[in-house]
Amino acid sequence: MKQKIIDIHPHIISPDTERYPYNPLGGIRSDWSAERPFTFEQYVEEMEAAGIAQAAMVHSSTTYGYDNAYAADSVCRDPARFVGVYSVDIAAPDAVGTINQWRKRGMAGLRLFGAGSTVQTDGRWMIAPETFPVWEHMADIDMTVAIQTTAIGLPVVEEILERFPEVNILLDHLGRPDLTDGAPYNKAGPLWKLAGYENLYLKITPRTFDLAMKAPARPETFFPKLVAEYGANRLAWGSNFPANNGSLKELVDQGHRCFASLGDKDRAAIWAGTAEKLYPQLVQAKEALALSL
């Protein structure tokens, strides 16, 4: 039986800078968005060649800031296959209203860029009192919140998990754990510490694969431990395409190699099952389309 694959971390960039002007968070555009600016149409070609069924398109904050227009215009072209994960200034007085407006244009998830390639903060702004209405709204509408951060922001992620246990938090790139000591990966202690929070989900990307393939780390020792700590039903794959080098099919093939030591049930959850739980609109839209045919 063919493995269903859902990509929950692709990015797209438009060549039309008049309609979709650049305005990156922090004022610095990410290198990949300038060097490998794939359009929505190009992503669809790559997606079909890689055997990917659906995708949650992640708005590029390091290109467009809080203007989700290009991702929204794109996902709305084919809502049976795509949903959007958008960025919003959650400290703004009208943040809840802004989220509700984007929901009309394909928004199925919120993404907060705490720390990464062009922005480095501890992310404490994500849990300032003025953001609480957004967190409460996320709980009310059952919307997943993805957080991009390095290890510097994990204490804040833990505060969010404790304060808002009804909100599903999805940690991009596993929070970039330190795997340089190899099994049993004691240096990844901050990641294992968070496993007890049932509302925390982890996004496995090629960045994770690269870390797990660099000796003394090995995929066959790291991914079984990851599943043992979190359960496959809290793990989901995302391509990080085109931020990671390689075709989309090559990134999928890398994932198949890294997951080879896992059982069929665990692989099915990571490739698609958990994504459907985090973004149920993907299932609902496909079912609605099937009923209309």
Side-chain angles (χ1 to χ4, degrees), residues 41-167:
E41 292 80 6
Q42 289 173 312
Y43 175 77
V44 171
E45 290 180 7
E46 292 271 340
M47 173 187 183
E48 293 174 347
I52 294 172
Q54 294 173 294
M57 191 65 65
V58 177
H59 160 74
S60 176
S61 302
T62 58
T63 307
Y64 299 114
Y66 293 124
D67 184 357
N68 303 284
Y70 183 52
D73 288 348
S74 299
V75 303
C76 289
R77 292 167 57 181
D78 192 350
R81 284 203 291 176
F82 297 96
V83 296
V85 180
Y86 302 160
S87 294
V88 171
D89 180 0
I90 62 173
D94 60 346
V96 169
T98 299
I99 288 167
N100 289 337
Q101 288 301 312
W102 285 119
R103 287 178 69 197
K104 297 174 184 177
R105 299 186 60 197
M107 181 180 186
L110 173 67
R111 186 186 188 219
L112 305 179
F113 202 97
S117 59
T118 62
V119 177
Q120 290 295 333
T121 73
D122 64 3
R124 191 146 297 279
W125 59 268
M126 293 188 290
I127 201 165
E130 55 267 31
T131 70
F132 290 177
V134 168
W135 290 110
E136 292 162 359
H137 189 56
M138 294 298 97
D140 290 343
I141 64 176
D142 194 23
M143 180 177 283
T144 297
V145 179
I147 296 178
Q148 155 70 38
T149 187
T150 57
I152 191 175
L154 291 183
V156 173
V157 171
E158 186 169 11
E159 287 186 42
I160 294 170
L161 292 165
E162 289 181 348
R163 185 179 288 272
F164 301 105
E166 295 181 355
V167 179

Side-chain angles (χ1 to χ4, degrees), residues 171-219:
L171 189 59
D172 285 359
H173 313 298
L174 277 64
R176 304 173 191 255
D178 185 347
L179 309 184
T180 58
D181 57 341
Y185 303 101
N186 293 325
K187 287 187 176 181
L191 179 65
W192 312 135
K193 177 186 176 185
L194 297 176
Y197 293 98
E198 295 184 357
N199 56 323
L200 179 63
Y201 293 75
L202 302 180
K203 187 185 295 181
I204 300 171
T205 68
R207 293 187 185 278
T208 316
F209 298 148
D210 292 345
L211 292 174
M213 295 173 70
K214 189 172 182 179
R218 299 197 311 275

Side-chain angles (χ1 to χ4, degrees), residues 266-277:
D266 290 339
R267 289 198 299 270
I270 295 170
W271 282 120
T274 304
E276 292 177 334
K277 180 180 179 181

